[in-house]
Amino acid sequence: MSARTAVVTLHGWAVRSLFENPYMAPEINPPVLVGKSYGDPRREDGHLVKTTPIASATGRIVTTRGGTVYRLGRIDREYRAWLEKEGLGYDPRSPIKSRTGAP
């Protein structure tokens, strides 16, 4: 199985912006995942990664624009608390949402 077809598990994950500039318009600052990767043939298990932008999400499976497929494991506790505080909720069966309702 190649690195492009391997399903990588991401633990301690959170959704962030690609660029850390809070003044950048959201349409040019796409969402990415950050977390520790497991099962990625390109890296040691537990390696902290920041993905390429999210292309699609179905349930707990996320595909990035770079072509890597991630299975979402445990969510980062601080990120989950932030979601709750902001009233965004958390659906463990389908945790990735976009502002438009489609991933």
Side-chain angles (χ1 to χ4, degrees):
M1 191 178 286
S2 75
R4 290 267 188 233
T5 59
V7 177
V8 178
T9 300
L10 207 58
H11 287 298
W13 63 269
V15 177
R16 300 280 189 252
S17 296
L18 177 60
F19 305 108
E20 300 300 325
N21 183 344
Y23 304 111
M24 187 175 283
E27 59 271 13
I28 60 172
N29 196 4
V32 298
L33 292 167
V34 294
K36 293 182 180 179
S37 66
Y38 295 85
D40 188 335
R42 301 169 295 181
R43 300 178 176 90
E44 288 186 35
D45 282 350
H47 185 83
L48 185 63
V49 297
K50 181 177 187 179
T51 71
T52 57
I54 296 170
S56 66
T58 304
R60 296 185 69 84
I61 303 298
V62 178
T63 303
T64 64
R65 290 186 195 165
T68 304
V69 178
Y70 291 93
R71 176 181 301 113
L72 299 178
R74 294 179 305 276
I75 188 171
D76 177 82
R77 282 184 251 148
E78 289 179 18
Y79 177 62
R80 184 164 180 183
W82 178 84
L83 288 172
E84 296 298 328
K85 178 181 167 236
E86 296 297 316
L88 299 173
Y90 172 70
D91 179 356
R93 293 169 296 175
S94 185
I96 304 295
K97 306 282 190 259
S98 74
R99 291 182 179 105
T100 61

